[in-house]
Amino acid sequence: MIELSNTTKRYGSLTAVDNVSFSVKTGEYFALLGPNGAGKTTIVKMLLDFTKPTAGSLSVNGLPSTQSESRTAVGYLAENCHIPPYLSGWQYLQRCAELLNMNKSDAMRQCSRVIELIGMQGREHTKVSTYSKGMIQRFGLGAALIGNPKLLILDEPTAGLDPIGIREIRQLLESLKDQGMTIFLNSHLLSEVEKICDNAAIINNGRLLVKDAISALVKDSDTLEDVFVRLVKG
Amino acid sequence: MPQTIPPIIRIAKYTLTDEIRQKSFIVMFVICALFIFLVRGCYQGNFMVNGQTLDAETVIRVVSKLTFHVIAVGAMLLTALLSMRVFRRDRDEGMQSSILSKPIARWQYVAGKILGLWALSVSFMFVLHSIVFIIASINLEILLPEYLLASLLCSFNLLFVVVAVLLLSLLMSDVFAFLCVLGIGIVGVVADGIYALSHSPMAQAMIGQAGSQSDWTGWKAVYYLWPKLSGTERFASLLIGGEGLGPMYPLINVLFYVLILGALLFWRFRNEDII
């Protein structure tokens, strides 16, 4: 479903992603881990063609990421999600549905379904400017779920959420995985990743350190956090 | 199967509605409409020069032509102000990444933005021109359809402003993009003025005496090659004066620049990093 092959991204003299190759299979719950500035968000941006790789290639849904068709049935939640403050949550979701070429009745149906999924019933018609960061994050996730995507790319989906919110989002993502959705997750919350992900890759300074099943990475009495710290600190 | 609207039209619609929502847009529109209504007094007065009453129709045509130019220039300024912030606002409010994470190509996004801004600014100018058209028609008791036709011809100037400001806003700060396009307009007016002056009998005599033909050659080149925004406006206003169509060159010049700058805008945005 996702394939990176010898992908490099340079910003001037800075190498953000350095010759990274890995793949994510259909139905996989995959986590991309790394410290701040490791190159995780750059990889996500290249997958969505928000930025072009300096070398190598990326493909999504079997198509080069530079083709807009590769983003068919892909849902995306940005890190620090923003929504126009003058819209209501409902209007934002409706726009996202309409941009997927849905007619009005389908868009309304999708919005109602998603609002229920993200637990925002009753708040969908108030202006985004009155929402908390966590609520904006939920609506951002809702927008990613519009149109029943086959692949979800989530950049820090639980940022700004309280512990109850984090738990609810985790349960929601688990149920989506059970429905066969492929999930590509960028996260700092290693304990959450350990609980729900099948596979993980750890990158540091743009280089891929390891990519394996969580069960293979975490052995004996170790936690994912121990493994992560050991690999990143060398 | 229910019909769906192509993404370009959707993006254009969202651009248009988002701009109309801005308080600054509403304030500017109300101020302009008030200005037009204040001008209506000029249509009703009896003007006397050297004790002779001027022909009402001539006065109305002159005032209408003057108002036509004021509105056209005002619409260009407003268009530049609206266009300069569009990409930045979309980026800051997350709409750019939201739209481009869907199976929508970058050219479709840019085309939607251009279309939305153009439709809004043309509507803005057309509504104001229509108010003048109605006032003039009531006072003259005849319709001046050429007034509205002239307004539509000026819409190509607005398209130029939209494309130029969007392109420049990708290369420099929003305010500089606005100022650059303002500068393009001012240099065009100056070049037109100097060209007209150089063709006056007095200037011709001076050129003949001083033999300084080459001094004018530079301005002549600017006159022909610079974006002819004021030329297009004058070309359109000839219709109002009942003078028929003038040379088409200014219109062709502006359309040529729209094509060139449009191509550059699409190419530049294709390589732009989305934040």
Side-chain angles (χ1 to χ4, degrees), chain A residues 9 11 45 48-52 68-76 78 82-87 91-92 94-105 127 143, chain B residues 2-7 10-11 13-15 17-18 21-22 89-106 108 270-275:
Chain A
K9 175 70 188 179
Y11 294 101
K45 282 183 178 174
L48 295 162
D49 193 35
F50 286 2
T51 189
K52 312 261 184 254
S68 60
E69 292 78 15
S70 70
R71 298 189 292 276
T72 307
V74 174
Y76 166 63
H82 292 285
I83 301 177
Y86 43 82
L87 296 179
Q91 286 170 324
Y92 176 65
Q94 196 175 5
R95 277 191 182 190
C96 292
E98 286 172 350
L99 285 166
L100 288 173
N101 240 359
M102 286 182 202
N103 58 50
K104 204 168 182 179
S105 58
K127 287 263 162 69
Chain B
Q3 285 290 308
T4 54
I5 303 170
R10 293 251 188 236
I11 295 165
K13 187 185 125 191
Y14 299 147
T15 307
T17 50
D18 287 350
R21 240 185 270 257
Q22 305 293 321
R89 206 176 47 227
D90 249 18
R91 204 165 46 223
D92 293 347
E93 292 174 350
M95 273 317 287
Q96 203 171 67
S97 57
S98 181
I99 291 170
L100 293 173
S101 66
K102 296 180 169 52
I104 292 171
R106 291 193 183 199
Q108 289 176 310
R270 214 184 67 170
N271 299 312
E272 189 77 0
D273 274 4
I274 307 299
I275 300 164

Side-chain angles (χ1 to χ4, degrees), chain B residues 181-204:
Chain B
V181 174
L182 194 68
I184 290 171
I186 290 169
V187 171
V189 171
V190 171
D192 283 5
I194 290 174
Y195 183 80
L197 192 72
S198 71
H199 281 71
S200 67
M202 195 172 75
Q204 292 289 342

Side-chain angles (χ1 to χ4, degrees), chain B residues 57-190:
Chain B
E57 188 180 333
T58 310
V59 171
I60 289 171
R61 279 193 186 272
V62 169
V63 173
S64 300
K65 213 168 166 177
L66 189 72
T67 328
F68 175 83
H69 285 296
V70 172
I71 293 171
V73 170
M76 279 197 275
L77 283 174
L78 177 99
T79 307
L81 286 169
L82 291 178
S83 308
M84 73 182 198
R85 299 171 302 168
V86 160
F87 283 144
R88 183 168 55 86
R89 206 176 47 227
D90 249 18
R91 204 165 46 223
D92 293 347
E93 292 174 350
M95 273 317 287
Q96 203 171 67
S97 57
S98 181
I99 291 170
L100 293 173
S101 66
K102 296 180 169 52
I104 292 171
R106 291 193 183 199
W107 70 266
Q108 289 176 310
Y109 170 75
V110 175
K113 288 283 153 197
I114 294 172
L115 193 63
L117 285 166
W118 191 37
L120 178 65
S121 49
V122 169
S123 311
F124 178 89
M125 184 173 72
F126 196 75
V127 168
L128 293 179
H129 277 150
S130 299
I131 296 171
V132 178
F133 164 77
I134 291 165
I135 294 170
S137 301
I138 291 168
N139 286 288
L140 264 181
E141 292 177 350
I142 53 160
L143 289 175
L144 290 169
E146 61 270 23
Y147 200 84
L148 299 180
L149 185 65
S151 178
L152 290 177
L153 281 174
C154 276
S155 65
F156 292 109
N157 276 355
L158 301 183
L159 182 59
F160 170 88
V161 172
V162 169
V163 173
V165 175
L166 286 180
L167 173 65
L168 292 173
S169 70
L170 292 175
L171 306 169
M172 55 184 81
S173 77
D174 303 344
V175 177
F176 272 110
F178 170 77
L179 290 175
C180 276
V181 174
L182 194 68
I184 290 171
I186 290 169
V187 171
V189 171
V190 171

Side-chain angles (χ1 to χ4, degrees), chain A residues 179-224:
Chain A
Q179 290 165 30
M181 201 179 277
T182 309
I183 298 172
F184 184 99
L185 180 73
N186 261 6
S187 183
H188 280 115
L189 292 176
L190 300 176
S191 55
E192 291 297 317
V193 168
E194 194 173 348
K195 277 179 201 157
I196 54 178
C197 291
D198 305 319
N199 299 305
I202 299 176
I203 61 168
N204 190 26
N205 295 325
R207 289 206 184 103
L208 182 68
L209 301 179
V210 68
K211 193 238 166 195
D212 214 332
I214 299 274
S215 54
L217 288 171
V218 181
K219 284 171 188 156
D220 305 326
S221 58
D222 271 359
T223 61
L224 185 60

Side-chain angles (χ1 to χ4, degrees), chain A residues 105-162:
Chain A
S105 58
D106 282 348
M108 301 256 287
R109 231 187 340 265
Q110 279 285 328
C111 293
S112 303
R113 181 188 71 88
V114 158
I115 282 165
E116 211 177 303
L117 275 175
I118 58 171
M120 280 287 123
Q121 303 99 311
R123 291 304 303 269
E124 67 269 36
H125 294 296
T126 48
K127 287 263 162 69
V128 171
S129 54
T130 66
Y131 292 174
S132 67
K133 194 172 180 293
M135 286 165 74
I136 291 175
Q137 198 73 4
R138 280 173 189 248
F139 273 102
L141 180 60
L145 292 171
I146 292 274
N148 302 313
K150 290 193 177 82
L151 168 66
L152 262 188
I153 298 177
L154 309 173
D155 202 352
E156 301 290 353
T158 50
L161 294 181
D162 55 31

